[in-house]
Amino acid sequence: MTLEHLFKYGLNATPVLMKGLGLTLVLLFIASTHGLAIDSETGEQMHAPFADRYYVSETGNGSDGSSWSNAFTNLQDALSAASSGDQIWVAAGIYTPGPNETDSFNLVPSVSVYGGFKEGDKRLSDRDWEVNLTILSGDIEGDDTNDGNGVVNDVLDISGDNSYHVVFADGTTGTPITSKTVLDGFTITAGQADGTNEPNNLGGGFYCNGSGINNECSPSLKNVTFSGNLAQAGGGMYNHALNKGTSSPNLSEVTF
């Protein structure tokens, strides 16, 4: 294996190579052949083989999400770019899914989305979701009454048109959404599922669709707060599992 191959396939090996060749190269080769990704920024083993990390920040330049300075400003852009095994890191701020009621943040199977960062954080352990509030809001018109931080505390404070579902997870496309799909460190607020038909009258904060035989929508939600979300049923969360489907999110440190 040549250095060219290591740089191309060894997952940004430069910081490690600077420590010396020889044994380092052997270790990198072993890591590569065993499908272990080495994080070029921290030197830590990443969560999945050959995974990418995308950054999202209100002040990023919106280019490609490859760093904090190049961060996407829209979380949905990062979700659209991500694929199985990737991570998305989101800095503190208020993010809306788009200008239309039908717009949502659409979770991607086996992609982990983490909030609670401040720009410049280099490790998952650096984040603090209680201090660095990372808010996913359905207030697409910016006219709801909130607590000053962007969080709607009461559905009576919703004004005008809001997103039917702030977050949407669809496990009916042929790829199940399992516990490997992670949403961690967010406040989900101001969803308004006031449509006349399903699913737009269900699950204002989060709609999880696992309906149909062999379909599944069971993501992992951790350190998430639902506040001020409205729906005919399941204001905060609606789990759809009709016709022998499965919809059973794994919840840890979740507040409604």
Side-chain angles (χ1 to χ4, degrees), residues 193 201-207 229-239:
N201 58 356
L202 307 169
F206 180 38
Y207 187 93
N229 297 286
L230 173 68
Q232 179 177 314
M237 175 187 294
Y238 187 88
N239 301 311

Side-chain angles (χ1 to χ4, degrees), residues 126-137:
D126 291 337
R127 68 193 181 115
D128 188 334
W129 54 88
E130 294 178 320
V131 173
N132 305 315
L133 290 180
T134 312
I135 299 165
L136 307 182
S137 174

Side-chain angles (χ1 to χ4, degrees), residues 13-125:
T14 307
V16 182
L17 288 172
M18 291 174 63
K19 297 179 181 178
L21 301 176
L23 180 59
T24 301
L25 293 179
V26 174
L27 291 174
L28 282 171
F29 175 75
I30 293 172
S32 178
T33 56
H34 282 74
L36 302 178
I38 303 300
D39 184 341
S40 63
E41 195 166 24
T42 67
E44 297 176 339
Q45 180 181 322
M46 292 173 67
H47 66 297
F50 312 110
D52 286 324
R53 178 188 301 156
Y54 295 95
Y55 296 82
V56 180
S57 169
E58 289 182 320
T59 59
N61 65 21
S63 61
D64 60 8
S66 61
S67 65
W68 285 121
S69 59
N70 293 330
F72 291 120
T73 57
N74 187 334
L75 172 57
Q76 186 54 47
D77 289 340
L79 288 165
S80 297
S83 58
S84 177
D86 291 346
Q87 290 185 356
I88 298 173
W89 288 14
V90 189
I94 303 171
Y95 303 90
T96 54
N100 304 308
E101 291 175 289
T102 53
D103 290 330
S104 301
F105 295 114
N106 298 296
L107 298 187
V108 180
S110 297
V111 169
S112 298
V113 188
Y114 296 100
F117 292 96
K118 61 180 183 297
E119 291 186 35
D121 283 347
K122 294 184 177 181
R123 291 180 170 84
L124 278 174
S125 57

